[in-house]
Amino acid sequence: MALGEMDGAASEPEEGGSQEPGVISARNILESFTESQEVGGLIGNLKGVFGDLVTREMTVEKFIGIMDKYQEQPHLLDCHLEWMMNSLLAIVRDNGSPPPLVHLAFKFLYIITKVRGYKRFLPLFPHEVGDLQPVLDMLVDQNPKDSETWETRYMLLLWLSMICLIPFDLARFDGNIISEEGHARMPTMDRILKIAKCYLVVSDKARDAAAVLVSKFIVRPDVRQKRMPDFLDWTLSMLSKSSFQTMEGTVVMNGMLQALAQLFKHGKREDCLPYAATVLECLDNCKLSESNQMVLRKLGMKLVQRLGLTFVKPKVAKWRYQRGCRSLAANLQAQSSVVQNQMITVAANEADEEEEYDIPGEIENVVEQLLVGLKDKDTIVRWSAAKGIGRITGRLPKELADDVIGSLLDCFSFQETDNAWHGGCLALAELGRRGLLLPSRISDVVPVILKALTYDEKRGACSVGSNVRDAACYVCWAFARAYDPAELIPFISQISSALVIAAVFDRDVNCRRAASAAFQENVGRQGTFPHGIDILTAADYFAVGNRVNCYLTISVYIAGFPEYTQPMIDHLVNMKINHWDSVIRELSTKALHNLTQRAPEYMANVVLPRLLPLSVGTDLHTRHGAILACAEITHALCKLAEENNRSITYYFNEKSLEGLKQIHQELCSRQLYRGLGGELMRPAVCTLIEKLSLSKMPFRGDPIIGGWQWLINDSLRSLPLVSSTARQHIKESAVSALAALCSEYYINENGEADPALQDELVTQYVSELQNTEEMIRCGFSRALGALPRFLLKGRLQQVLEGLKKVTLISPADVSFAEARRDALIAIAKVCQTIGVNGEGTQEEYVCKDNVTHIYATLLSGMTDYTTDSRGDVGGWVREAAMMSLMEVTLLLVQNEAELINANICKQIMCWLAQQSAEKIDKFRAHAGSVFLTLLHFDHPPVPHIPHREELERIFPRSEKETLNWNAASEAFPRITQLLGLPTYQYYVLLGLSVSVGGLTETTLRHSAQSLFDYMKKIQNDSSAMESFCETLLKVFEDNLRNDRVSVPLLTMLDQMLANGCFDIFTMQENQPFAVKLFTLCKEEIKRSKDIRKLRSSIGVFCGLIQFQGDMREKVLFQLFLLLCHPFPVIRKTTASQVYEMLITYSDVVDPAIMDEVMTILSDTNWEAELPVVREKRNCLCDLMKVPKPQLVSKSSA
């Protein structure tokens, strides 16, 4: 089908996973060769650029870029090929052109042939008599082993293959064959043949051109008589001598097979027939089918079919099927009458017309080899074999052709591999396309194609068969074009249903698109598919690109047409709910839910009774799919009954209800919840519990409720035992099931819970929160969060206290970040469920007595920076805390805003601002999003937000959706503006310290630049500078020895000092900021063994040398201490940084001693032994009049 602009549907991401590969297919539709002038310029400039390597490469790259655009529409170049070729050959023919320029011209010619194909190019080559000698001479001058100039040799051979068609005897070109020296000169015929033979055994592209040359040259009448037998002897002897086990042998065999295949293609039948049997025998002896070289097997297949075509006369079979009118317009106009009237029959007198002639025995061998080729492991070999079968069958008598079709249908047994099915489909399509599959055979072929459309075979962890299904779609496409509508009428319903099912329910996007294209072809050509145009509009090429859209939306629309409803449902039940891919099983069950409205009786009376035995069957995948399908169909039927004011059990009989109850008991008694299978069964049955509860099934008081409750509890307790991949899914399924089960079966007529049951359930769940297994804490935290209000009522304090304990970090559970995350999520959920009442009691509502405690717990999550082998796991907790804070705050704002006091609001906004300035993109984006949500919330606005007006100016409402917090380049310029707001300054600076001193290059660059821009802005505002410096020192002081902040903070200070952020203070003697900063730095690195921290501190000390007063001596003393640090790397770094510092701040040292100091710093090996280094250091102290550091003995230390 025509591909236009992309539809929106194609680019939607899939639910539950990323978009399938290959779904988006953007395509440039070009109208003409618009760059012709530019190309003309490039070709014209070749003489100027060939000498310079860089310009030459740039010109070639530019030309390749232009040409590659036309790979898909090469015909646009056709009217420009001649002038391009003439311009380039003019360079080649110019005797003054140096060899590099000639090679460059041929390279350009090759690039054009690569795009357009050599066959279209060949006739354009000049082929006059005068060209023969120069081209031959040029070829003789070439070095076949030069890997840089293969394009030249390739193009020259193609050119020669065109010239050798001149209609003159080549002997005329030889003149006097005795040269002046008296030696016999080689005849032109032999020269050409020698060149061809030479290039047939090379390993580059020239080999292909040599094969073309042979096919054109050997078939000349004069060459054929004198040289053809010898040439064939040579090729066959080369073939028989070579082995495909070696690389050299492979190269030679490739050349020989190409030459023979081309020769038998272009030569006349009567010329080639005498040699065909010998060639076939030699080919059989080569045993190419045993080779692992795909190209050799393909060429062998090509040659076999050419030999087969040589054995049989080139005549069109009289018996073949003639479709007659193939006009699409005529089909569409005459859709109604076409079926009744246009019954075209095969000629009745075909038997008389069939010319009797003997079919050589070799044909059987050829056809057998082609049939074996259909089962080859490589697609290109199978495709070549399929084309061969199509070509040869077209020349056989009717009976033999029917035998071939019979043998072909043997490919479609389930003993055969997917390769045989694929090859068989390709061959069937080829036969149908050529009219060689008579209508009498359609009844045998259609069932095979229907099986191929759903062919899917499990192999290990994946499956094979997508290529078979794709090829089956091609067969349907070919049949649409091949047959008259009347011939296909008996099979229309089967084919149309199968194609719709493939277009909507196939797992692979390419198969869905192929089926959609085949369906479209049938609608247009046959005109008999029911509701064809309507379906096509809904399931076109782009719409079927999104799998979720196909299963859940398009399928419902198509199932609205009664002809397709039942086949679609049956296909899902028979083929998809037991699929090897769990994603497909789950999608299929959701599709069945949506399709239930189209055939409720069929679902209730036929499908459900079929599924119930499968849901307790032996096959794991079938059991999983069947349980989910029972759940979805039951829920859909109950919703339908409710909408139509019927009783819930309207569609169910006693047997079905009993069957649904039995599923859990049966699985439990057979211990199917254990082991790996249990990882699928537990979430499936939890989904069943959820759907049956939502369906309000009449099971109140039934023992099964206790069984279901046991399964939910047991699944939550078993979380540590299941694999990490299944854990999340089991937890979510169990929690959803619990919420639905409690809401339906644990509430009495008064809307209350049974006190004993409530006490047991809540107490049990709260006690599990202190379990030593992290996953059990996670599960029961989320379970408490899912409980309905009537179970929480009166127990709120107990639940919140239990969840609060989970959020606390203790030495035993420091790495339980996931439990803390789930507890914080659960707290927000509990608050939303229980509701707000300021004057209510603590046991029943979020009220003024407990709101402070709730906020304190949530805010404590914002400070979780736990790290372990998985990285910053505290980030999960912070993310959950931010989300929960937002949910609770918005809940209070919408109900009783006065419960939010100014202090809490300030804390929330400040913590969010800090997180918005931190280094991990994902968490920064989350914090930024929450920050803007609270700032811009309007129903009603969140009270007490500090500096609301300034914030709304920095973050306008219009940019709430467009601001990309993930991009450091967008986030940091905004967030650094908050440094000017006193309330936020400390927190934003704390966040920025981690980003500016971080390791990620983009984050570091943009955050540092934004900070420096802010500092530049306040340079002349002394109060703003003092306030900033005070805050900076407070951040340092509060995080002393907290390596998460202090190490990047030192790096940030180093950058700020180097960038002159504190220049206004450097002139003041003993500036308090510098003194305090120096003291803090000294304290930070005391007894530290952290290399990164020590290195950063060296930079800070060197930066502090700018400040006047006693500071300098203290700084130099500290640096000289580091010059004798126990770690050699620190000594070396200190020396190089002090050297740079003295160059930068030249006033630090007296010019008289400057050279000596610099020499000591640069010439000393600071990684040498400590006594040697100490001596040099002391020398520096004397020179610069700095007290020498004294060695402290360990006893006195």
Side-chain angles (χ1 to χ4, degrees):
M1 64 185 279
L3 303 179
E5 287 291 67
M6 274 200 321
D7 200 10
S11 55
E12 278 178 41
E14 295 219 355
E15 251 173 57
S18 59
Q19 186 79 352
E20 289 172 273
V23 169
I24 293 177
S25 168
R27 199 98 172 260
N28 293 326
I29 304 297
L30 305 164
E31 290 179 3
S32 64
F33 184 38
T34 48
E35 293 93 342
S36 58
Q37 282 187 321
E38 192 179 348
V39 167
L42 287 175
I43 293 172
N45 288 338
L46 287 186
K47 287 184 181 175
V49 302
F50 79 92
D52 178 39
L53 181 65
V54 176
T55 354
R56 185 170 77 223
E57 284 194 0
M58 282 171 63
T59 307
V60 172
E61 286 301 319
K62 197 167 188 182
F63 188 64
I64 290 173
I66 292 170
M67 284 295 149
D68 281 355
K69 280 203 285 187
Y70 295 90
Q71 288 273 24
E72 291 193 3
Q73 294 169 277
H75 59 275
L76 296 175
L77 301 176
D78 285 356
C79 54
H80 301 272
L81 291 177
E82 199 162 347
W83 69 258
M84 286 195 280
M85 176 182 270
N86 292 340
S87 309
L88 290 163
L89 286 183
I91 297 173
V92 171
R93 285 164 145 175
D94 180 358
N95 292 331
S97 298
L101 177 56
V102 173
H103 290 316
L104 187 57
F106 276 124
K107 193 182 186 86
F108 269 51
L109 273 173
Y110 169 71
I111 291 164
I112 302 169
T113 55
K114 185 187 78 170
V115 174
R116 190 60 189 110
Y118 78 88
K119 290 179 187 172
R120 180 56 68 119
F121 217 69
L122 269 182
L124 301 174
F125 275 114
H127 41 272
E128 290 140 23
V129 173
D131 293 312
L132 178 61
Q133 208 57 45
V135 171
L136 269 176
D137 291 343
M138 270 200 270
L139 266 167
V140 170
D141 292 341
Q142 296 301 313
N143 172 10
K145 294 197 169 102
D146 184 355
S147 60
E148 295 294 315
T149 60
W150 60 268
E151 292 101 336
T152 305
R153 303 193 291 279
Y154 176 73
M155 295 312 300
L156 281 170
L157 287 164
L158 284 181
W159 191 359
L160 184 58
S161 70
M162 200 61 212
I163 296 170
C164 74
L165 294 178
I166 49 175
F168 302 107
D169 193 319
L170 292 175
R172 291 188 181 185
F173 296 96
D174 297 332
N176 182 8
I177 207 155
I178 305 297
S179 66
E180 291 168 14
E181 291 84 18
H183 298 298
R185 222 172 31 168
M186 192 184 284
T188 306
M189 189 185 291
D190 290 345
R191 284 182 74 193
I192 296 174
L193 212 51
K194 184 184 173 190
I195 286 170
K197 285 181 176 179
C198 163
Y199 284 106
L200 276 175
V201 293
V202 298
S203 58
D204 59 31
K205 185 83 175 158
R207 184 178 56 201
D208 302 1
V212 175
L213 170 60
V214 164
S215 71
K216 306 273 188 197
F217 183 63
I218 297 286
V219 298
R220 284 176 55 99
D222 51 346
V223 183
R224 187 184 69 236
Q225 289 165 7
K226 298 176 186 173
R227 299 285 184 267
M228 187 169 179
D230 294 347
F231 179 77
L232 286 171
D233 280 349
W234 176 77
T235 51
L236 296 181
S237 72
M238 291 294 278
L239 261 182
S240 50
K241 279 191 291 187
S242 304
S243 160
F244 52 70
Q245 304 288 357
T246 64
M247 276 308 294
E248 295 79 8
T250 303
V251 168
V252 172
M253 290 181 89
N254 188 315
M256 299 308 118
L257 290 169
Q258 277 202 60
L260 288 168
Q262 290 274 20
L263 194 53
F264 278 89
K265 178 179 180 179
H266 293 293
K268 290 180 182 170
R269 178 174 180 261
E270 57 270 21
D271 299 336
C272 298
L273 190 56
Y275 312 105
T278 316
V279 174
L280 183 62
E281 188 184 343
C282 177
L283 190 61
D284 289 347
N285 294 336
C286 287
K287 294 191 168 58
L288 287 178
S289 58
E290 295 170 15
S291 165
N292 60 357
Q293 295 288 329
M294 171 182 72
V295 179
L296 291 187
R297 296 200 308 277
K298 184 218 172 186
L299 288 170
M301 213 43 66
K302 210 180 182 69
L303 181 52
V304 161
Q305 59 172 287
R306 293 288 166 211
L307 292 168
L309 291 170
T310 308
F311 288 125
V312 287
K313 289 183 181 174
K315 53 176 283 218
V316 176
K318 295 273 195 320
W319 53 267
R320 83 186 176 128
Y321 178 78
Q322 299 289 336
R323 171 160 181 191
C325 168
R326 292 201 178 200
S327 160
L328 199 56
N331 277 351
L332 292 171
Q333 284 165 9
Q335 272 184 15
S336 53
S337 60
V338 85
V339 179
Q340 291 84 8
N341 306 331
Q342 288 195 5
M343 196 75 171
I344 296 172
T345 55
V346 180
N349 60 348
E350 63 180 20
D352 307 332
E353 290 185 15
E354 187 68 59
E355 186 186 332
E356 287 298 320
Y357 66 91
D358 289 333
I359 299 294
E362 287 90 352
I363 279 295
E364 192 174 336
N365 177 5
V366 168
V367 172
E368 187 181 342
Q369 286 198 43
L370 291 172
L371 286 167
V372 170
L374 289 177
K375 302 174 186 180
D376 192 273
K377 63 181 181 181
D378 286 298
T379 304
I380 60 167
V381 183
R382 298 198 290 271
W383 180 230
S384 187
K387 287 193 287 188
I389 282 178
R391 287 171 180 144
I392 289 174
T393 309
R395 296 187 184 183
L396 296 176
K398 187 178 175 185
E399 292 73 24
L400 287 178
D402 201 56
D403 289 348
V404 172
I405 293 165
S407 304
L408 176 58
L409 289 172
D410 292 342
C411 285
F412 298 98
S413 78
F414 279 97
Q415 282 80 44
E416 292 288 0
T417 62
D418 59 303
N419 295 334
W421 278 71
H422 182 245
C425 284
L426 293 177
L428 282 178
E430 203 59 24
L431 292 171
R433 218 167 55 81
R434 293 167 179 270
L436 304 171
L437 204 58
L438 295 177
S440 57
R441 272 289 192 181
I442 298 180
S443 56
D444 299 330
V445 170
V446 168
V448 162
I449 296 307
L450 296 178
K451 280 184 197 165
L453 277 169
T454 56
Y455 185 93
D456 196 10
E457 221 177 71
K458 182 100 164 58
R459 291 268 173 90
C462 58
S463 82
V464 292
S466 64
N467 59 342
V468 176
R469 301 195 298 276
D470 189 76
C473 294
Y474 171 51
V475 179
C476 295
W477 179 90
F479 280 13
R481 301 166 75 89
Y483 294 106
D484 192 79
E487 309 289 4
L488 291 178
I489 280 291
F491 312 102
I492 281 298
S493 65
Q494 291 171 280
I495 295 173
S496 61
S497 298
L499 282 175
V500 159
I501 285 164
V504 178
F505 293 140
D506 199 288
R507 180 177 180 271
D508 293 277
V509 65
N510 59 314
C511 297
R512 294 199 298 277
R513 287 181 163 167
S516 173
F519 189 86
Q520 178 179 358
E521 195 69 22
N522 275 281
V523 170
R525 302 270 176 193
Q526 295 287 315
T528 49
F529 272 28
H531 312 286
I533 299 290
D534 295 334
I535 290 171
L536 259 186
T537 312
D540 67 7
Y541 178 88
F542 292 110
V544 298
N546 187 307
R547 191 162 63 196
V548 174
N549 184 41
C550 284
Y551 269 82
L552 304 185
T553 313
I554 300 175
S555 64
V556 182
Y557 173 75
I558 297 175
F561 303 114
E563 295 89 340
Y564 300 104
T565 316
Q566 200 174 315
M568 288 174 82
I569 293 171
D570 289 344
H571 173 79
L572 288 173
V573 172
N574 298 331
M575 305 290 295
K576 287 294 189 283
I577 62 160
N578 55 5
H579 197 272
W580 59 271
D581 184 351
S582 61
V583 175
I584 295 293
R585 293 200 296 274
E586 287 166 21
L587 269 178
S588 305
T589 58
K590 288 176 185 168
L592 283 169
H593 178 283
N594 292 355
L595 294 176
T596 302
Q597 56 178 311
R598 299 293 188 202
E601 274 77 18
Y602 183 70
M603 286 289 197
N605 303 330
V606 179
V607 176
L608 201 56
R610 259 169 68 195
L611 288 171
L612 286 169
L614 296 177
S615 63
V616 289
T618 50
D619 180 66
L620 175 63
H621 289 161
T622 309
R623 195 163 69 236
H624 178 241
I627 293 171
L628 290 174
C630 287
E632 294 286 359
I633 292 170
T634 306
H635 188 209
L637 287 170
C638 290
K639 280 202 298 189
L640 214 57
E642 200 172 7
E643 283 167 21
N644 297 328
N645 296 323
R646 292 169 172 157
S647 84
I648 294 299
T649 54
Y650 174 80
Y651 289 108
F652 302 95
N653 53 34
E654 277 302 315
K655 195 175 174 192
S656 294
L657 290 174
E658 200 52 41
L660 290 168
K661 277 200 280 188
Q662 284 297 321
I663 292 174
H664 163 68
Q665 292 163 347
E666 187 69 24
L667 297 183
C668 197
S669 64
R670 283 161 53 190
Q671 298 189 335
L672 293 173
Y673 290 129
R674 293 186 177 184
L676 286 173
E679 292 187 6
L680 282 178
M681 288 301 99
R682 286 177 184 276
V685 179
C686 284
T687 304
L688 179 72
I689 296 168
E690 180 192 1
K691 297 296 181 187
L692 293 179
S693 304
L694 292 172
S695 303
K696 301 182 171 57
M697 280 288 173
F699 299 155
R700 191 182 288 268
D702 195 293
I704 191 65
I705 302 297
W708 287 351
Q709 183 66 57
W710 171 84
L711 174 68
I712 291 168
N713 295 349
D714 190 62
S715 296
L716 293 172
R717 281 197 197 94
S718 308
L719 285 175
L721 307 174
V722 300
S723 66
S724 54
T725 46
R727 208 171 271 160
Q728 189 66 14
H729 187 38
I730 293 176
K731 179 173 73 179
E732 286 170 3
S733 305
V735 169
S736 301
L738 176 72
L741 182 75
C742 293
S743 301
E744 181 56 32
Y745 298 114
Y746 291 168
I747 189 168
N748 60 26
E749 297 79 15
N750 308 324
E752 302 281 332
D754 171 19
L757 186 145
Q758 180 187 17
D759 182 54
E760 184 193 347
L761 195 70
V762 174
T763 308
Q764 181 190 357
Y765 280 18
V766 171
S767 67
E768 292 287 4
L769 294 180
Q770 291 307 305
N771 198 294
T772 51
E773 283 287 351
E774 180 185 17
M775 282 304 127
I776 295 179
R777 290 189 183 191
C778 287
F780 285 98
S781 296
R782 294 298 286 272
L784 283 167
L787 290 179
R789 189 176 193 285
F790 65 86
L791 281 172
L792 292 168
K793 195 176 168 190
R795 298 277 175 170
L796 181 60
Q797 204 59 20
Q798 183 187 359
V799 169
L800 288 176
E801 276 303 315
L803 290 170
K804 181 184 174 182
K805 281 181 188 164
V806 181
T807 65
L808 301 176
I809 301 178
S810 65
D813 54 25
V814 71
S815 67
F816 285 11
E818 287 174 83
R820 295 196 288 278
R821 174 197 66 194
D822 284 349
L824 289 169
I825 293 170
I827 288 173
K829 292 277 176 283
V830 166
C831 292
Q832 287 172 316
T833 307
I834 205 80
V836 181
N837 182 350
E839 300 304 318
T841 67
Q842 293 190 52
E843 291 293 358
E844 293 196 12
Y845 295 100
V846 175
C847 60
K848 62 173 187 285
D849 297 331
N850 60 13
V851 73
T852 318
H853 300 302
I854 293 170
Y855 267 121
T857 307
L858 296 179
L859 284 165
S860 69
M862 296 282 273
T863 58
D864 192 328
Y865 283 94
T866 313
T867 55
D868 63 12
S869 58
R870 295 168 292 179
D872 179 12
V873 290
W876 303 335
V877 185
R878 299 198 301 279
E879 193 173 14
M882 288 185 260
M883 188 50 82
S884 297
L885 279 168
M886 181 181 83
E887 287 172 357
V888 172
T889 305
L890 295 183
L891 175 75
L892 292 172
V893 165
Q894 288 167 304
N895 292 286
E896 297 199 26
E898 56 276 9
L899 289 178
I900 304 175
N901 65 42
N903 184 40
I904 285 176
C905 194
K906 177 190 157 192
Q907 277 183 281
I908 295 171
M909 297 308 281
C910 288
W911 281 114
L912 286 171
Q914 180 194 326
Q915 295 298 323
S916 304
E918 290 212 351
K919 62 183 177 180
I920 299 177
D921 292 352
K922 180 183 158 194
F923 300 136
R924 186 174 67 242
H926 190 73
S929 165
V930 173
F931 186 85
L932 294 192
T933 303
L934 293 177
L935 175 63
H936 294 142
F937 191 73
D938 275 338
H939 313 291
V942 178
H944 313 301
I945 291 183
H947 306 289
R948 180 188 282 277
E949 287 175 17
E950 291 93 327
L951 289 177
E952 293 209 347
R953 198 171 57 250
I954 297 169
F955 302 104
R957 284 166 189 268
S958 56
E959 292 181 16
K960 184 186 171 190
E961 301 302 326
T962 54
L963 180 61
N964 179 10
W965 285 94
N966 268 313
S969 56
E970 287 189 44
F972 285 109
R974 299 297 179 87
I975 208 73
T976 43
Q977 292 179 46
L978 269 61
L979 289 169
L981 309 176
T983 312
Y984 297 105
Q985 191 175 53
Y986 176 88
Y987 295 91
V988 173
L989 195 52
L990 180 56
L992 273 176
S993 307
V994 179
S995 298
V996 177
L999 299 173
T1000 311
E1001 205 269 332
T1002 47
T1003 309
L1004 188 155
R1005 187 171 72 245
H1006 292 294
S1007 56
Q1009 191 54 53
S1010 302
L1011 178 62
F1012 299 152
D1013 290 347
Y1014 172 77
M1015 294 303 291
K1016 210 176 285 176
K1017 206 164 66 184
I1018 63 164
Q1019 277 299 301
N1020 301 321
D1021 183 345
S1022 58
S1023 65
M1025 277 298 288
E1026 278 173 22
S1027 156
F1028 178 86
C1029 293
E1030 203 177 303
T1031 309
L1032 185 59
L1033 291 170
K1034 185 161 173 41
V1035 169
F1036 199 166
E1037 205 168 354
D1038 292 350
N1039 292 282
L1040 209 60
R1041 304 270 169 83
N1042 171 7
D1043 286 2
R1044 184 189 70 80
V1045 178
S1046 62
V1047 175
L1049 182 62
L1050 285 170
T1051 309
M1052 180 179 87
L1053 285 166
D1054 177 14
Q1055 291 186 51
M1056 290 177 81
L1057 287 163
N1059 271 277
C1061 291
F1062 306 111
D1063 280 358
I1064 64 162
F1065 296 149
T1066 52
M1067 291 301 116
Q1068 300 172 22
E1069 290 257 338
N1070 299 330
Q1071 218 286 331
F1073 165 69
V1075 175
K1076 182 82 186 286
L1077 184 56
F1078 174 76
T1079 314
L1080 288 169
C1081 282
K1082 241 174 81 174
E1083 189 60 34
E1084 180 63 39
I1085 63 166
K1086 204 172 188 179
R1087 296 195 178 87
S1088 173
K1089 292 182 178 176
D1090 182 335
I1091 300 283
R1092 192 176 159 216
K1093 183 189 286 187
L1094 290 165
R1095 276 183 150 168
S1096 300
S1097 71
I1098 296 165
V1100 177
F1101 289 134
C1102 288
L1104 286 171
I1105 206 82
Q1106 307 169 53
F1107 293 91
Q1108 304 293 331
D1110 302 342
M1111 273 290 295
R1112 286 199 168 175
E1113 192 176 302
K1114 289 180 184 173
V1115 167
L1116 286 170
F1117 181 80
Q1118 194 62 38
L1119 286 167
F1120 289 162
L1121 258 181
L1122 288 165
L1123 274 176
C1124 286
H1125 194 277
F1127 295 168
V1129 68
I1130 297 300
R1131 302 202 290 274
K1132 189 178 176 184
T1133 306
T1134 308
S1136 69
Q1137 293 216 21
V1138 169
Y1139 186 90
E1140 287 172 22
M1141 172 192 86
L1142 295 178
I1143 292 172
T1144 312
Y1145 308 109
S1146 51
D1147 61 328
V1148 175
V1149 182
D1150 185 348
I1153 57 164
M1154 183 72 157
D1155 287 349
E1156 196 178 342
V1157 169
M1158 297 304 247
T1159 306
I1160 293 172
L1161 283 169
S1162 59
D1163 291 359
T1164 306
N1165 175 15
W1166 294 101
E1167 291 177 317
E1169 294 299 315
L1170 267 175
V1172 180
V1173 171
R1174 195 171 288 120
E1175 190 183 323
K1176 293 288 183 185
R1177 192 269 319 269
N1178 290 345
C1179 185
L1180 281 174
C1181 291
D1182 293 341
L1183 280 169
M1184 296 178 72
K1185 299 182 176 56
V1186 176
K1188 292 178 196 169
Q1190 297 301 311
L1191 266 176
V1192 182
S1193 63
K1194 289 203 173 173
S1195 57
S1196 64

